[in-house]
Amino acid sequence: MTESLHAPVILDIAGTALTADDRRRLQHPLTGGLILFARHFESRAQLTALCAEAKSLRPDLLIAVDQEGGRVQRFRTDGFTALPAMRSLGELWMDDAMRAIQAATATGLVLALELRACGVDMSFTPVLDLDHHDDTHQSLSGVIGSRSFHRDPRVVSLLGQSLMQGLALAGMASCGKHFPGHGYVAADSHVDVPVDTRSLKAILAEDARPFEWLSLSLSAVMPAHVVYRKVDSRPAGFSRRWLQEILRERLGFAGAVFSDDLGMAGARVIEGRPVGFTEAAMAALDAGCDLVLLCNQSLESGGQAIDELLDGLSQAQSDGRWHPAIDSEARRAALLPQSAPLTWDELMLAPRYLEALARLP
């Protein structure tokens, strides 16, 4: 394998074991990570073996998953703890704020210890979106909803910080999403291009507050595939204004920036024009993303879209249309755990883990 100055692509695989195509793609010099989903899990033993084989191909591969809790939890059986939805932590806050902080830390610790025991490096959490409501007290965003801690950015920030402390205690990085906030729009960016019509002042005063207040603590941020029309005509993940001027310069964020999934409908249209995977990736990287995700494409046409992206980005690099960023690669490397994980058997006897289980809501 040829080492790259910058390995920005986070991709997935088709099944519960690596195929020859999976191995080839994971060894590509532009591949920096692997994202897992529920379909990749049969048992803890199988998951642990899968992660170990992937790491044998590239020891510094970043293995990630969406293990938020509630309805977004990819691994739920064979010993994995059912984690609470973030909304339940926000509801607990209204009754007993200090217990909610303790429960959020416990949630992050249990989440991270269990994943790391199986070889997974990172979960894309916490969700820092606000839970905006309509006149009937229903969440404006169905895709966010119970994934959000609360409507109040102060509560979101404090519970998010507590969950991140739990992650950190287990040696796991954090990723706040979806900058600058997905909770105000009803459309789902998986299947549509949501548009938020509020002013920059309004967004910075509310939805972006958790990202501002936690900018020193967050390891990574994932921007939303949402167009904030009064700020930029491009979705946040493709916007230099959002990622460079606002997130980096104004809010002082120095960690890694992931694009959200480039396979989502919200990532396939830029300024009204359909774009392919390579163009979308280049637009995200040019805007300020360090890493780009391409999910669930290994199931389509034998993973043709993944090869299209890897080949297209390689060609763009050769042609001088895309330039690797050494700083981005350093930010990717910083997300990898720096300590050895406990094995599952060790975990079952670990006092801090057992105490954290007892403190879950």
Side-chain angles (χ1 to χ4, degrees):
M1 182 190 74
T2 302
E3 293 294 334
S4 173
L5 291 174
H6 183 190
V9 178
I10 312 294
L11 50 78
D12 73 347
I13 58 175
T16 55
L18 297 182
T19 66
D21 282 335
D22 294 329
R23 295 186 189 95
R24 172 177 56 80
R25 291 167 184 145
L26 290 174
Q27 290 178 295
H28 194 286
L30 295 183
T31 297
L34 168 65
I35 181 169
L36 300 175
F37 293 90
R39 71 173 187 275
H40 299 121
F41 181 83
E42 286 180 346
S43 68
R44 284 188 290 106
Q46 166 270 323
L47 176 63
T48 304
L50 173 64
C51 292
E53 184 179 1
K55 289 279 191 177
S56 74
L57 299 174
R58 176 164 180 172
D60 71 337
L61 189 74
L62 179 70
I63 302 179
V65 68
D66 288 306
Q67 188 87 340
E68 299 171 10
R71 61 188 168 90
V72 181
Q73 181 174 343
R74 309 306 188 194
F75 312 143
R76 298 173 174 270
T77 59
D78 197 18
F80 274 96
T81 302
L83 300 168
M86 297 305 98
R87 176 183 282 169
S88 69
L89 296 172
E91 291 169 346
L92 180 58
W93 171 278
M94 303 305 292
D95 181 57
D96 186 338
M98 297 313 295
R99 183 164 168 249
I101 285 175
Q102 194 175 64
T105 303
T107 299
L109 183 59
V110 170
L111 181 164
L113 285 172
E114 291 181 350
L115 288 179
R116 291 208 59 208
C118 295
V120 179
D121 299 315
M122 183 178 183
S123 174
F124 292 116
T125 189
V127 172
L128 298 178
D129 301 299
L130 306 189
D131 188 14
H132 289 275
H133 296 94
D134 61 20
D135 293 338
T136 66
H137 305 291
Q138 298 295 311
S139 295
L140 280 178
S141 174
V143 73
I144 301 300
S146 63
R147 298 166 68 193
S148 169
F149 289 107
H150 205 271
R151 169 65 179 81
D152 188 328
R154 296 168 297 180
V155 178
V156 170
S157 298
L158 288 168
L159 291 179
Q161 177 74 70
S162 299
L163 188 139
M164 289 157 54
Q165 182 183 21
L167 298 177
L169 287 170
M172 181 174 283
S174 57
C175 181
K177 58 188 188 186
H178 305 83
F179 176 78
H182 199 309
Y184 193 78
V185 291
D188 180 353
S189 54
H190 291 85
V191 296
D192 203 348
V193 184
V195 177
D196 189 326
T197 59
R198 292 175 299 164
S199 67
L200 175 61
K201 181 179 179 180
I203 295 166
L204 291 178
E206 285 207 299
D207 293 64
R209 281 293 198 188
F211 297 94
E212 176 186 0
W213 290 330
L214 300 178
S215 62
L216 289 176
S217 306
L218 283 164
S219 311
V221 162
M222 181 181 291
H225 287 324
V226 175
V227 175
Y228 303 87
R229 184 178 291 160
K230 292 183 179 177
V231 183
D232 198 336
S233 59
R234 292 185 164 217
F238 300 126
S239 166
R240 291 186 65 84
R241 187 171 189 204
W242 275 117
L243 299 186
Q244 302 284 5
E245 294 179 23
I246 299 173
L247 180 62
R248 294 283 191 207
E249 297 173 17
R250 187 163 180 167
L251 304 188
F253 179 68
V257 178
F258 287 87
S259 79
D260 205 342
D261 176 16
L262 297 180
M264 292 163 57
R268 304 305 307 283
V269 177
I270 300 178
E271 297 180 320
R273 183 174 61 83
V275 295
F277 295 113
T278 300
E279 185 176 353
M282 289 173 60
L285 293 166
D286 181 67
C289 289
D290 301 296
L291 299 150
V292 292
L293 283 128
L294 185 58
C295 308
N296 299 315
Q297 298 300 317
S298 57
L299 300 174
E300 305 290 332
S301 303
Q304 180 179 334
I306 300 174
D307 290 330
E308 174 190 324
L309 173 56
L310 292 172
D311 293 345
L313 200 55
S314 294
Q315 188 62 52
Q317 181 179 353
S318 297
D319 295 345
R321 292 178 290 117
W322 173 67
H323 301 283
I326 296 175
D327 289 346
S328 290
E329 183 62 11
R331 287 190 280 264
R332 185 191 74 85
L335 299 174
L336 292 162
Q338 301 302 305
S339 60
L342 297 176
T343 66
W344 195 272
D345 287 344
E346 291 170 337
L347 189 58
M348 293 303 102
L349 299 174
R352 179 174 269 173
Y353 172 73
L354 297 174
E355 184 60 29
L357 287 176
R359 298 187 187 207
L360 293 177

